[in-house]
Amino acid sequence: LRIIKLLMAKELFPTIAFAFGKRDVETLANSLKGLEFTNEDEKKAIDEIYHGAMDSLTDEDKQLPAVQNMLPLLRRGIGIHHGGLL
């Protein structure tokens, strides 16, 4: 978290951070609560893209926790990927 805050202070974004293990990836992403990496225009664009992508999923896939928990992270400029995602 200290490294991410340092990168943010020095405006060194975008940044990719790696963690090994599904649980570690999700834990690290959630530890960034309170940090915003996007502005309002970017949030609107993210909403449009996300909802467009959701339209292509089955109802069953839309209910997956990984899918439902993704939008709040994306809106803040945080994306995650691990083997457990679609």
Side-chain angles (χ1 to χ4, degrees):
L1 187 57
R2 282 188 357 228
I3 292 171
I4 299 297
K5 287 183 178 181
L6 174 66
L7 293 170
M8 192 175 190
K10 295 185 179 254
E11 297 183 21
L12 296 173
F13 285 98
T15 297
I16 298 174
F18 292 92
F20 298 98
K22 175 185 175 202
R23 190 167 290 132
D24 289 342
V25 169
E26 291 172 348
T27 299
L28 289 170
N30 288 322
S31 75
L32 299 174
K33 287 183 177 165
L35 298 179
E36 296 282 336
F37 302 100
T38 56
N39 62 39
E40 287 305 313
D41 289 336
E42 292 166 330
K43 285 179 187 355
K44 288 177 188 173
I46 289 166
D47 286 341
E48 290 177 22
I49 292 166
Y50 176 85
H51 292 295
M54 289 292 287
D55 290 342
S56 69
L57 296 180
T58 65
D59 288 340
E60 183 180 344
D61 285 344
K62 289 176 185 176
Q63 300 308 312
L64 292 170
V67 173
Q68 292 195 349
N69 296 332
M70 194 176 301
L71 183 58
L73 290 171
L74 292 173
R75 292 189 89 242
R76 292 185 9 247
I78 300 166
I80 64 172
H81 177 72
H82 55 67
L85 292 175
L86 300 175

